[in-house]
Structures are given as C-alpha cells and as structure tokens.
Amino acid sequence: MDTFPSFTAFFALVLLLSQKATADNGRITASGTDNVRGIIGAIVDNSTRIGKEQKVAMEMAIEDVHDRTSQSYALRMKNSHGEPYRAALAARDLIDQQEVQALLSPQRWEETSLVAEIGNQANIPVLSIADSNPSWATERWPFLLQASPNQNSQMKAIAAIVQSWQWHQVTVIYEDIDSLRSGVMPHLSDALRDVGAEISHLLAISPFSSPSLSKELERLKHEQCRVFVVHLSLSLAMHLFERAKEMNMMEKEYVWITTDTTTGLVHSLNSATISSMQGTIGVKSYFPRKDANFQDFYTRFRRKFSSENPEEDNHEPGTFAVLAYDAVWTVCKAMSESSSSQQLLRKLTLSEFYGLSGKVQFVDRKVAPAHKFQVINVIGKSYQELGFWTDTSGFSATIDERAPYQPSMGSSLGQVFWPGGSLNTPRGWALPTDAKPLMIGVPTKSSFKKYVNVIHDSSKNTTHFEGFAIDLFNATVKILPFYLPYNLTPFDGTYDELVKQVHFKKFDAVVGDVAIVSKRYQHAEFTHPYTESGLVMIVPVRPQTSDRALLFMKPFTKAMWVLIGLINIYNGFVVWLIERKHCPELKGSGFNQVGALLSLAFTTLFSLHGEKLHSNLSRMAMVVWLFVALVLTQTYTANLTSILTVQRLEPTVTDVELLRNSNAMVGYCRGSFVADYLVDVLRIHRGNVRNYKSPEDYAQALRSREIAAAFLEVPLAKLFLAKYCKEFTIAGPTYKVGGFGFVFPRGSPLLPDVTKALLSVSESGKLRDLEISMIASQECEDIESIDDISSLNPSSFWVLFVLTAGTSTAALLVYVVCHRRFGQKTIRRLMLAVMRHWWHRKKSFSRRVSSNERSSNFPNTSNSRIQV
C-alpha cells in the first residue's frame, strides 16, 4: 500500500503557513447566506481548464438545487493553483474558518490525498472527483468518498481497441505520480493481459517539463512497438504530441490512444494545438447528451463559461464539469436529510439518483463504475465520434440497446483516420530503425541431424547450421513482406530450457525440431506446425507365422475364379455338343455325359486334343480358349511365385498394454517432452524409460532387445524408417501431440507474419519438396508384404474373356443353325436321360425308406424270423 509519510510534520508546516497565507475565498449561495441548509467547501485549480469547468458547474449546481428544491446551500470555493500544500491550507481554512460540512476535492490525487487526511481528522466527508484514486484510499480515510468512476472499465475499453486490431504489444506513456502508478497501471496491465497483449515499454513523464522527453521518444522510436497508450494530463499530453510530431512519430504505422484525462478535454483545444494530435484514437466517459436536463445544462454552461473565461476558445462542458455538477447535487441531497457529520456520511453512501452523468450510486463509498465509453478519432480541426463501447456488449455505432454490438471495433464502427492520413490499419509494430538482428536459438542436442545440425569448426572458429528446419526458416523469411535480419546461435541444453530462454529474452526466437507442447505456452508462443503431429511406437519386425493354407487362392479374386469356372463349363458344353455324334465316349447315360462334358472343359486347359476333335467349329473354339487359358495360367504362376517368395512380417509388440504388462524398457529422444508423456499419459514406469542420442543408438538398442520399443514424433519416425525400413515398423495407434513449430515470445508482433509466410511456403509445395529431399537421402527399399500384392480381377482380362466367349458362341450358333433338328433332338435326349436317372434314384430311395419303417413297426416278428 502506498502511503504518505510524515503527515504530522507536514500539517505542522501547514498550520504555520496558514497564519500567513491568504487564500481565495468565494462565498456563493443561491439566495444569500440566510436560511442555508448547509455549507459546501470546494477546492479547484483555476489555472487549468478542468478547474475552470468545475467551478462553473458547481456554481450552476447550487443555483439549480435552489431553483428546484427551494433550499439554499452555501458554496465556499478555494483556488489551490495546482499545489498540494495550497490545497491542504485551503482545506484547513474551509473547515476551521468557513465551517463547511463537506468538501469537494481537487482533480489531482496529490492534492486530494492531503485534503482527505485533513477532512478525516475533522470528521468532515470529502468527495474526491480526482481522475484516479488508489484502491486503498477509502480504507485509509473513512470519511473519503470516491465520486469519480474508477479506471478499471476505461482500461478495458483501451484493451478492447488493442484487441480489435490484433496488436500484441503496447508502449504506455503516463504521468509519474503515485495515483497513476498504483491506481491505473495495474488495471491497464491486467486488461491488456486478458486480451493477449502486453506492455512492452513504460515511459513515466515527470509532471514538470522534462528536458529528457525528446531523448526518451527517440529511444522508443528505435523500438519495434508502434502502439502508444497515453495517460497524461492535458498540458503534458500536448507537450508530448508536439514533440512526437517534430520527431515524425505522428506518421504512418504509428498508433496513439489517449485516455479520458486527455480525451475528455479535446473539445477545449484550438485548431493549432489539435493539429499535433491528428489520427489519434481516444476514449472518453459517456453521458446522455440527448437528455433534456443535459441540453439545458449545456446551453447555460456555455453562456456562463464564456462570460467568466473569455480567453478560452471553446465553451463546451467536459466530463469533469459533469462529475462536479453531480457531486454538488449528491452533497445537497444528503445534507437535506442529515443533522450531523456521521449521518451526512451515511446518507452520502446511500445516495441514489439520476444526474447528468447517469445513475449516481455508491458501493463501498465508491461511485458505481462507468460501463459505457465513447470512442473518438481526432481529425481536422476537431474530432469525429466513431461509436461506443460497453463492457458487457462490445462496440456499437450507437448507444441504443437494440443496436448491433460487435467484439471488434473494425467491424462495427466507422472509418478510422490514422496518423499520417492513412486509411490502412497500422500493423502496430515495425522493425527497429537500427535493424538490430534477431538472436535466434538453435538446439545442439537434436537426435536427428537431418532436421537440425550444428557444426562447429574449431580451426576456423565458425559455426555452421544446416538441416530441414534451418532450410525451412530461411525459405519463410525470404517471403516476408519486410527485411528481417537474424543471427543463429547454438544452445546446448534441453528443449524446455531453450524455450524458457525466449521468455527470459535471451533469444528473440527458436528454430529447430521443437515440439509444440501446452506447458511451453506459459513461456512462449509457436507458429503453425510445419510437420505432422503425433507420437508413434517403433518396434522390430519378425516373420509372420499365420496359416497359409489358402494362399494359392490369393493370385485371383473370387470373382475371377468364378468367371474362369463359368467360361470353362461353357466352352466344354460347346465342344461336347458339337463332337457328341462323332465320339462314342461322349455318349451314354445322362450323368456319364455330364462328367464327360466337365472333363472335356477342364482338360482343354492343358492340351488341345486336336487329333480327337472332328469338327472345325470345336477346333476353333478350343484354340482360342487354350490361348486364353495359357495367359491365365502364366499370370497365375507369376503372381503366386511373387507371393511365395515375399516374406510376410509382423511387429514384435502391438500395443502399449503389452509393454506395461511385461515391464519392458522403451526409448525416447534425449531432451524431448516424450519422457513425461510416456510416464504421465501412457503410464509407463519412469525407470523403464531410457533416452538415446541418435537414430543409430535407437536401432542398436532395438536389435539387441535392450528396449522393446522406441517412441518418436511422427516426422522423426518417418526419417528413422526411411533408413531402417527393413528392420522396424510402426505399431499401435498415433498419439495426438503437437508437431514442430518455430518459437517466438508471447505477444510477439512477428508471430502473425511469420506464421502467414510459413503457410505460404507450405501451400506453394516448397515445404513438401524439402521434406522429400530430406527423406530421400535416407531412402532404402521398402519391405514388400503379401498384403501389398494385389489379387488380379476380371477387369484385367475382360478382352480375353470376351474373345473366347464370343468364339465359342459363334461356333455354337453355326452348329445349331446347320444341325438345328439334330441339335434339338440331342439336347432333348440329354435332358430326358438326366430326368430318367433322377426319377430312378428317387424311387429307389423311397423304397428303402418304406422298408425301414416297416422294420421298426414289427420288431418281434423280425427277430423271430431272424432266429428261425
């Protein structure tokens, strides 16, 4: 908690000075000093625009209270001249000499804190209308009430603007006073963190003119962050923007965002002053301007303010005038129901009414926070109202409850005119003007040197970097829309330690085979993965010992076998029909003829039987069929030979469950995250997990059965199997983990552009070419398995089948046409013979069945006959 030490000594000094000081004393009442219900003290800084507006607004509030309630209140006002000790003197004088019952504090917290101490000692309620109040203030001073909204919601509005344009880093320029350090900056930091942004630089400016401002701005100009959030008093803000304009920091690619302390007074600036703020975006408190009470206040305020302050160019009321007006009304309403300071304090905390700023209500002696803000854009001689933001709904062009709200400013508000007159949204960052190269870390402990390899030449004292990851990063940088210098630096440590170096700002990025793991996101962020994601198990292979009884069927598909049989039978039938009358062997009973037909059909596959055929028609059909059969048998023999000579292999381990049950040893890459994954997720005992440095170590350990399996990320497994494809294989499922990516600091402005460039390299095919080139250098002949040899189907031989079927059909048609009568008679006889044979067989079977039934009905008789 921030404190103000030595209050006793300070107030002793104040009392001493009060005897000599003569402060301004304005007695203002609605109707003189008679019959007043209460006396209100106010301390303002009449040298500032805020003080001038507050003075006019308070006077108007006293008059309005009298006109609307017929109750008179006295207003005693003192001028602090912006000096804390003068504010303390004024507070002591108002309490001791003017006998005020409540105090309205100045706009600056440094003055308010002293007034609050004096009021608390005298048990006089103090309403703070300072622009920022520390959260602990109301706890330290029980008689202090915060009458101005806290800065938390306003900082959320700033963060929402930053998020709308996807800026990830901002530079904050603030006034170096206690109230801002403790009351505002924590809220802004938290709000930015919630939207994925962070404060890259903090620039604290002294309340007094600092000659070092130009030097500080020059330093910021050389940094890459181009988004500036300004939280300064109006005078300091004007000084800042004038210097920034002189240094060409109000040009394209710069972003300036101002808070309510500046934006709330933009209306008071003349055209010459506002010209240095062109393109800035501002957030200001919202109050209902269309309300009839505000319109009346607005008209009367302009008239009164212009008469009392003719030196001012603009006479419109701002946020601070509205807050001061409502604060006087709050005190007057509470005084009308109170008779003591304690009762007044209690009534103040229970206040609830609608003022010019909206609903006025206190929660824990703090006015309810504002939830609506207006977003403006400084352009030309004034500013344009872009729209509104609420902490519950987001951005909208109007404040109407039925208006559409969007989370992004760009999709809901009007066109923004950025510094330099640009209509294009700034990126929010730029390369440092001194072009300082990025320091990029490269792991030296990569197990697979094809991905990243660091070679140190001690004789020349040089270090060379090569590998797939290095080549890919070079290709990515080449297509960035800007020049990006960088230096590669080796790092001899684990991958987790390497990622942490980015968080500690030892490296600006990391390039290598770094896996994207969730726990590493607390230290850095990753680009889009440039490899396949997953973790697989590599195991040795062994010959398969499964049953091969039906292996002879493998050369042809089932459809092929069926078609061959049908064509055989069809061709045999045609030859049998044509040759039947010439060959006695083809005659006889029906079943004899069917057997002869089938025998003729299949024996012709291996011999022509040309000397036994008597008809040219049957010879023609058989020659074509024998040609087809020759092709089929030769193809079958070749395919079967391939199957028999190929060794069928299977993995030695099929799943992780077997490894756990057998308590087997497993291996992983040294320095990777895989060890924790094996223990925490796959539940393998940590004592059974070993790390290896190279693919050769893996292969040797698997061959010697030192380990039963090795677990590798998918891209590394591909490279390993490309070299050892005949000995090892992938077994089990692929476990989902992140692939490899490039590492950048959290919120790095480079990350979106590098990711986009990386995707462009992938979509152009360059990434695939690099991967193929890497794997090709390790390529070996793959083991061919039986499953890889496809069975032949009819589509490969349909021309031959059509040829033989067509030839046989043509021969059959010629024969039928020439011997139609004989052919019909022959077919009829064949059918009758088959039917007759079938009938005799059925009749014989029926007799046997009847005989058996009779035997079962007369068992004794049968037995006696047998005995006789």
Side-chain angles (χ1 to χ4, degrees):
M1 176 183 295
D2 294 328
T3 60
F4 293 88
S6 303
F7 270 110
T8 303
F10 179 81
F11 287 120
L13 176 63
V14 169
L15 290 174
L16 179 64
L17 292 173
S18 64
Q19 297 176 359
K20 301 179 180 180
T22 58
D24 297 334
N25 181 16
R27 290 174 62 90
I28 302 174
T29 65
S31 57
T33 58
D34 298 332
N35 300 321
V36 294
R37 297 293 302 271
I39 304 174
I40 304 172
I43 304 171
V44 297
D45 180 7
N46 285 336
S47 64
T48 64
R49 172 70 186 219
I50 293 177
K52 295 175 182 179
E53 288 190 10
Q54 288 177 338
K55 178 179 178 297
V56 172
M58 290 178 186
E59 294 172 354
M60 290 178 61
I62 289 293
E63 295 172 359
D64 290 346
V65 169
H66 178 266
D67 293 341
R68 297 177 189 178
T69 66
S70 299
Q71 295 179 354
S72 297
Y73 295 89
L75 178 65
R76 304 289 188 262
M77 200 173 298
K78 295 282 187 178
N79 183 6
S80 70
H81 300 281
E83 299 291 343
Y85 82 92
R86 287 181 180 269
L89 289 173
R92 176 62 65 187
D93 181 73
L94 288 171
I95 294 174
D96 294 343
Q97 305 299 324
Q98 307 296 330
E99 297 181 351
V100 297
Q101 292 145 316
L103 278 173
L104 301 181
S105 74
Q107 185 264 339
R108 295 177 63 84
W109 170 250
E110 285 64 34
E111 301 174 54
T112 298
S113 61
L114 300 180
V115 174
E117 178 68 23
I118 294 174
N120 195 68
Q121 292 179 358
N123 291 340
I124 297 296
V126 177
L127 271 73
S128 169
I129 50 178
D131 57 350
S132 59
N133 297 269
S135 58
W136 49 263
T138 54
E139 298 178 3
R140 173 166 183 167
W141 296 297
F143 277 82
L144 176 66
L145 290 88
Q146 181 179 323
S148 59
N150 65 40
Q151 303 291 320
N152 190 16
S153 294
Q154 184 185 173
M155 296 304 109
K156 290 182 179 179
I158 298 291
I161 294 176
V162 172
Q163 183 186 32
S164 295
W165 307 108
Q166 297 181 1
W167 298 319
H168 299 283
Q169 290 186 335
V170 300
T171 296
V172 178
I173 304 175
Y174 67 99
E175 193 168 352
D176 191 14
I177 54 179
D178 176 72
S179 59
L180 297 186
R181 286 193 299 269
S182 60
V184 175
M185 301 313 299
H187 291 315
L188 179 58
S189 179
D190 292 342
L192 290 172
R193 189 182 301 111
D194 290 342
V195 299
E198 64 179 3
I199 299 175
S200 60
H201 297 89
L202 286 171
L203 175 57
I205 299 180
S206 171
F208 309 100
S209 180
S210 175
S212 63
L213 179 59
S214 298
K215 183 185 297 184
E216 294 293 340
L217 288 178
E218 186 67 27
R219 179 179 63 83
L220 294 178
K221 186 177 180 180
H222 286 76
E223 300 292 340
Q224 66 179 8
C225 182
R226 291 292 184 266
V227 181
F228 299 93
V229 176
V230 178
H231 190 72
L232 298 171
S233 62
L234 183 63
S235 58
L236 280 180
M238 291 303 95
H239 183 56
L240 170 71
F241 284 116
E242 288 172 0
R243 291 288 182 88
K245 185 177 181 180
E246 293 174 0
M247 300 174 64
N248 296 322
M249 294 179 69
M250 299 300 295
E251 302 298 327
K252 293 181 180 179
E253 295 302 324
Y254 282 89
V255 179
W256 294 87
I257 305 173
T258 59
T259 61
D260 196 25
T261 54
T262 301
T263 313
L265 295 171
V266 169
H267 64 278
S268 67
L269 302 177
N270 56 40
S271 57
T273 305
I274 206 172
S275 63
S276 61
M277 294 181 61
Q278 294 296 301
T280 62
I281 296 176
V283 174
K284 60 186 298 187
S285 298
Y286 164 80
F287 39 87
R289 294 175 176 269
K290 295 182 180 180
D291 183 74
N293 290 333
F294 179 83
Q295 291 296 325
D296 177 66
F297 169 80
Y298 179 84
T299 303
R300 292 187 294 116
F301 182 92
R302 285 175 56 87
R303 183 168 57 250
K304 184 176 178 63
F305 188 85
S306 62
S307 65
E308 295 185 8
N309 303 280
E311 74 279 2
E312 295 288 340
D313 295 328
N314 192 293
H315 309 134
E316 295 181 2
T319 303
F320 304 99
V322 172
L323 292 176
Y325 181 90
D326 285 346
V328 172
W329 265 97
T330 302
V331 175
C332 291
K333 284 178 175 289
M335 280 184 173
S336 66
E337 303 173 358
S338 307
S339 58
S340 65
S341 59
Q342 289 288 349
Q343 191 176 15
L344 175 59
L345 177 63
R346 188 173 64 85
K347 289 295 182 181
L348 284 171
T349 59
L350 297 176
S351 298
E352 184 176 355
F353 68 97
Y354 283 91
L356 296 181
S357 60
K359 187 175 182 180
V360 178
Q361 184 180 12
F362 288 88
V363 178
D364 296 331
R365 289 187 287 122
K366 299 177 182 178
V367 73
H371 299 289
K372 298 178 182 178
F373 294 90
Q374 191 174 17
V375 183
I376 68 169
N377 183 204
V378 178
I379 179 174
K381 297 181 179 181
S382 184
Y383 63 89
Q384 67 171 346
E385 298 176 352
L386 296 177
F388 303 88
W389 178 87
T390 66
D391 59 356
T392 56
S393 303
F395 293 95
S396 176
T398 63
I399 203 63
D400 188 355
E401 293 181 357
R402 293 172 294 180
Y405 284 85
Q406 299 291 337
S408 173
M409 175 181 170
S411 59
S412 56
L413 304 190
Q415 174 65 55
V416 179
F417 292 87
W418 302 100
S422 175
L423 298 180
N424 298 323
T425 304
R427 291 184 302 180
W429 66 278
L431 289 176
T433 55
D434 56 2
K436 181 181 178 181
L438 296 181
M439 188 71 70
I440 297 180
V442 180
T444 61
K445 293 185 177 181
S446 175
S447 298
F448 289 78
K449 302 303 181 183
K450 290 294 180 180
Y451 263 92
V452 56
N453 189 20
V454 180
I455 304 173
H456 180 70
D457 188 348
S458 56
S459 61
K460 298 181 180 179
N461 196 24
T462 59
T463 303
H464 178 65
F465 302 87
E466 62 182 16
F468 173 78
I470 304 298
D471 295 339
L472 179 60
F473 184 75
N474 292 334
T476 301
V477 170
K478 286 181 181 179
I479 64 174
L480 286 173
F482 49 84
Y483 172 66
L484 182 66
Y486 61 90
N487 292 326
L488 300 177
T489 304
F491 179 79
D492 188 21
T494 66
Y495 284 77
D496 287 339
E497 293 171 351
L498 177 57
V499 174
K500 289 180 181 179
Q501 300 310 306
V502 177
H503 176 69
F504 297 145
K505 301 187 183 303
K506 298 289 183 64
F507 293 124
D508 299 309
V510 170
V511 172
D513 51 345
V514 183
I516 302 175
V517 185
S518 60
K519 70 176 183 179
R520 292 175 180 171
Y521 265 93
Q522 61 182 321
H523 304 298
E525 292 187 59
F526 294 82
T527 61
H528 182 82
Y530 60 81
T531 62
E532 293 182 48
S533 60
L535 182 70
V536 294
M537 181 173 64
I538 305 296
V539 298
V541 294
R542 62 187 177 190
Q544 192 178 54
T545 58
S546 59
D547 185 20
R548 310 176 95 189
L550 297 178
L551 198 60
F552 71 93
M553 298 289 289
K554 180 78 175 172
F556 291 151
T557 62
K558 293 180 180 179
M560 185 71 174
W561 284 114
V562 171
L563 186 57
I564 291 174
L566 293 176
I567 289 294
N568 262 325
I569 295 173
Y570 178 68
N571 286 336
F573 170 75
V574 171
V575 173
W576 170 80
L577 188 61
I578 297 174
E579 295 291 328
R580 185 174 180 276
K581 68 176 183 177
H582 304 292
C583 300
E585 304 89 34
L586 302 180
K587 297 179 181 180
S589 65
F591 276 94
N592 287 338
Q593 295 186 54
V594 170
L597 186 152
L598 295 176
S599 174
L600 184 64
F602 286 96
T603 55
T604 51
L605 284 171
F606 311 104
S607 63
L608 183 59
H609 300 287
E611 69 282 357
K612 296 182 180 180
L613 300 179
H614 299 82
S615 172
N616 289 330
L617 293 175
S618 57
R619 292 191 185 101
M620 177 182 68
M622 293 315 309
V623 166
V624 175
W625 172 233
L626 186 59
F627 169 73
V628 174
L630 223 90
V631 174
L632 292 176
T633 52
Q634 293 300 320
T635 304
Y636 174 85
T637 303
N639 209 14
L640 182 60
T641 302
S642 299
I643 294 173
L644 292 175
T645 54
V646 170
Q647 185 182 25
R648 185 159 185 164
L649 303 174
E650 64 180 1
T652 55
V653 180
T654 55
D655 56 43
V656 176
E657 190 66 29
L658 292 175
L659 294 175
R660 287 197 295 263
N661 294 339
S662 61
N663 202 30
M665 305 295 294
V666 298
Y668 72 98
C669 284
R670 181 184 61 173
S672 73
F673 74 99
V674 177
D676 293 334
Y677 188 90
L678 294 177
V679 175
D680 299 336
V681 180
L682 300 185
R683 301 194 306 277
I684 296 177
H685 192 274
R686 187 173 292 276
N688 293 340
V689 178
R690 296 183 181 179
N691 65 76
Y692 294 92
K693 299 180 180 180
S694 66
E696 292 75 17
D697 293 342
Y698 277 117
Q700 183 59 37
L702 288 169
R703 291 190 193 108
S704 63
R705 298 296 189 266
E706 181 182 334
I707 57 175
F711 287 85
L712 299 175
E713 292 101 316
V714 168
L716 301 181
K718 282 185 176 182
L719 200 59
F720 181 80
L721 293 179
K723 185 175 182 180
Y724 301 103
C725 61
K726 293 185 177 181
E727 299 180 71
F728 311 104
T729 188
I730 294 176
T734 299
Y735 303 98
K736 292 299 181 182
V737 295
F740 295 159
F742 301 137
V743 186
F744 285 87
R746 290 184 58 82
S748 170
L750 282 172
L751 184 60
D753 289 279
V754 174
T755 299
K756 182 179 179 181
L758 180 59
L759 290 174
S760 299
V761 172
S762 176
E763 293 168 0
S764 67
K766 177 67 174 177
L767 188 151
R768 177 172 173 79
D769 293 341
L770 290 173
E771 186 176 12
I772 292 176
S773 176
M774 173 184 63
I775 295 178
S777 63
Q778 299 288 329
E779 189 175 3
C780 72
E781 294 182 2
D782 293 331
I783 295 180
E784 190 177 28
S785 67
I786 294 176
D787 294 332
D788 296 330
I789 302 175
S790 59
S791 301
L792 300 174
N793 54 49
S795 62
S796 305
F797 303 96
W798 69 270
V799 174
L800 295 177
F801 285 123
V802 170
L803 177 63
T804 182
T807 304
S808 299
T809 303
L812 178 62
L813 291 176
V814 171
Y815 175 77
V816 170
V817 171
C818 296
H819 304 79
R820 182 175 181 181
R821 183 177 177 184
F822 176 78
Q824 292 177 351
K825 185 177 180 181
T826 302
I827 294 173
R828 191 182 303 114
R829 287 179 178 174
L830 177 60
M831 293 179 63
L832 287 174
V834 172
M835 291 290 290
R836 189 181 299 113
H837 184 76
W838 173 80
W839 173 256
H840 286 302
R841 292 293 298 273
K842 181 179 180 182
K843 194 173 182 180
S844 175
F845 178 75
S846 299
R847 289 174 180 169
R848 287 197 298 271
V849 171
S850 299
S851 176
N852 291 336
E853 290 178 350
R854 286 196 299 270
S855 299
S856 60
N857 291 333
F858 303 100
N860 296 330
T861 306
S862 300
N863 292 336
S864 61
R865 288 180 180 176
I866 292 171
Q867 292 174 1
V868 173

